[in-house]
Amino acid sequence: MTVLDESEISTLTDSQEKAIVLSGLMSATLSLWGSSTLLALIRSKMAKRRSTSPYHRILACMSVWDIVFTLQIVLQPFLVPRATSQQVWAAGNDASCS
């Protein structure tokens, strides 16, 4: 466990850190909703017609990757080790950080 230097300590208040995390969570929620909707629309088109256009397949792949990366954005504030971080909702440990 390392101790933070005085220059590395955040000058943000708990309210400011919560606002930063919540703004990321809100945008991530909208991204998840949009990508999930696109995947549902493409899947319904695939059910009606056996084939889809290359455009739909590319859009589906982009939506899947958007969901994967958005979940990373959602989990990131919580996986930081509590012992070495001053973030409000840090709940991780050294294993979740490596």
Side-chain angles (χ1 to χ4, degrees):
M1 182 170 84
T2 59
V3 178
L4 295 175
D5 291 337
E6 204 52 47
S7 62
E8 295 175 355
I9 295 176
S10 175
T11 58
L12 298 175
T13 64
D14 285 351
S15 299
Q16 290 172 331
E17 285 192 19
K18 286 179 183 179
I20 290 171
V21 170
L22 289 176
S23 66
L25 290 177
M26 287 189 300
S27 65
T29 302
L30 292 173
S31 178
L32 283 172
W33 178 76
S35 293
S36 299
T37 303
L38 281 173
L39 283 175
L41 290 172
I42 292 170
R43 186 172 181 194
S44 69
K45 285 189 184 261
M46 287 175 62
K48 291 178 185 174
R49 294 183 279 148
R50 284 291 185 195
S51 64
T52 58
S53 69
Y55 170 76
H56 287 135
R57 290 190 296 268
I58 291 170
L59 195 58
C61 289
M62 288 173 60
S63 294
V64 167
W65 280 111
D66 181 56
I67 290 171
V68 169
F69 288 122
T70 300
L71 289 174
Q72 181 265 333
I73 290 170
V74 169
L75 294 175
Q76 184 177 4
F78 306 105
L79 296 178
V80 179
R82 179 176 290 283
T84 60
S85 175
Q86 292 197 337
Q87 289 187 355
V88 177
W89 288 316
N93 54 25
D94 290 334
S96 66
C97 202
S98 60

